[in-house]
Amino acid sequence: MKYNVMDIVPVDLWNKLVNECPWATFYHTPLWASILTKTFPRWENVTWGVEFDDGNEAIFPMLRVPLLGKAPFYWYESMVPGGYGGPIFRQPPQPEHYAVIWEHLHKFSNLLVMGNPYADWEALGFAKRATFTHIVKLGDFENVFRNFSKSRREAVRAAIRRGVHVEVAKFDESYKTYYAIYRDQLKRWGKNAGDFYPKKLFENLASGARKHETIKLWSTYVDGRMTGGALHANGLPGIILSPFIHAGFKHLGANSVPFLVLGVALFYFYR
């Protein structure tokens, strides 16, 4: 099989493959890569692609960061920070397509790929390490709600009785309030806070939300005042990745439970 490696991927082609690949997520998009590199300038977008002579195409979203100052030693990740990564394809890949991807990956000596459970990772021959994700089939919410723990169900009902409601906020207008709530969570967690995200990340997400409907902020309100929220990014068709940005979040998006804004968000953020 003949092929051509693209060191620079056209954004139009990148977006096209994201829309066509059944396991692509928000973290595979050029928008997410742009938000990250604008927020964390040390990270560089080094996404590459492959054009195959049978008409198939692949893109491997990837960022890198220098390990030793200006020396040419890098850490590569797909996709930062702990979001789903790896190759996406225009057409269902065959073993020969994966073989080309695998051959090209050998040029990167320090590479971490966060596995997507919908992709065929066996074909790439990666060394595995244990992690987890949550997959919830959405549809009849009553069926989802019944699987919540008893304490969570009671918390949701209590919050509703006290006037808590959920709606989609205009993130470009509400991100400052959302960031203030996040900062308050950091203070409350104190030394147990596991992560810190700079205000610049929220600003760049808000900028992206103005142009792309994939970014939504589901927020909880009490008496007209925002008390919490969950930042959602549409990725896989029919699936919402709902990363809760709070003081103990280790992997943005990869370990979050979809739709818990109707459960945990009401319970966790309500005061």
Side-chain angles (χ1 to χ4, degrees):
M1 174 179 289
K2 295 181 180 180
Y3 61 90
N4 174 55
V5 175
M6 298 177 287
D7 293 324
I8 299 177
V9 177
V11 173
D12 289 346
L13 174 62
W14 191 346
N15 279 320
K16 186 175 180 64
L17 263 66
V18 167
N19 291 329
E20 294 180 355
C21 183
W23 63 78
T25 72
F26 176 72
Y27 306 105
H28 289 90
T29 65
L31 173 60
W32 181 239
S34 174
I35 287 171
L36 288 175
T37 53
K38 288 179 181 178
T39 304
F40 307 103
R42 292 186 70 242
W43 285 93
E44 178 185 1
N45 182 9
V46 290
T47 295
W48 52 279
V50 182
E51 297 174 308
F52 299 94
D53 64 357
D54 64 353
N56 205 352
E57 293 173 301
I59 292 177
F60 203 104
M62 190 164 64
L63 302 185
R64 74 178 184 184
V65 64
L67 294 175
L68 299 173
K70 296 183 179 181
F73 299 102
Y74 301 95
W75 170 261
Y76 298 86
E77 193 163 334
S78 180
M79 192 53 172
V80 180
Y84 291 140
I88 54 176
F89 291 86
R90 177 187 293 275
Q91 303 169 6
Q94 302 302 315
E96 52 267 31
H97 298 120
Y98 279 116
V100 172
I101 298 294
W102 179 246
E103 178 182 355
H104 191 66
L105 285 176
H106 275 82
K107 67 182 291 185
F108 307 109
S109 56
N110 301 294
L111 170 63
L112 173 66
V113 179
M114 182 62 67
N116 181 335
Y118 286 88
D120 183 6
W121 291 99
E122 296 288 345
L124 272 175
F126 271 82
K128 298 179 180 178
R129 72 183 191 189
T131 184
F132 70 94
T133 191
H134 300 283
I135 300 173
V136 178
K137 293 183 178 181
L138 304 181
D140 182 1
F141 178 68
E142 289 302 319
N143 289 330
V144 178
F145 188 70
R146 277 195 291 268
N147 288 315
F148 285 5
S149 68
K150 181 179 179 181
S151 62
R152 291 296 187 268
R153 294 196 302 270
E154 291 176 349
V156 171
R157 295 187 181 108
I160 293 173
R161 288 195 300 270
R162 297 174 185 176
V164 179
H165 73 278
V166 179
E167 65 181 55
V168 179
K170 293 184 177 180
F171 189 40
D172 57 340
E173 300 175 1
S174 305
Y175 79 90
K176 292 181 181 179
T177 303
Y178 185 49
Y179 180 72
I181 295 171
Y182 164 68
R183 293 285 298 179
D184 183 60
Q185 291 296 313
L186 287 177
K187 293 178 182 178
R188 287 169 48 178
W189 277 79
K191 294 182 179 180
N192 292 322
D195 299 294
F196 170 75
Y197 299 111
K199 187 177 182 180
K200 190 69 175 177
L201 174 61
F202 294 80
E203 292 174 347
N204 289 328
L205 283 166
S207 177
R210 295 187 187 102
K211 305 174 184 177
H212 302 269
E213 295 183 357
T214 54
I215 302 175
K216 297 182 182 297
L217 177 61
W218 286 86
S219 302
T220 56
Y221 293 87
V222 178
D223 297 329
R225 181 175 62 90
M226 183 188 292
T227 57
L231 186 62
H232 292 232
N234 288 336
L236 293 163
I239 294 175
I240 298 176
L241 303 177
S242 41
F244 289 87
I245 297 183
H246 61 72
F249 197 54
K250 292 295 184 183
H251 295 293
L252 184 60
N255 298 336
S256 56
V257 181
F259 220 58
L260 283 189
V261 66
L262 290 175
V264 175
L266 291 176
F267 174 78
Y268 185 81
F269 291 107
Y270 180 71
R271 302 186 218 177

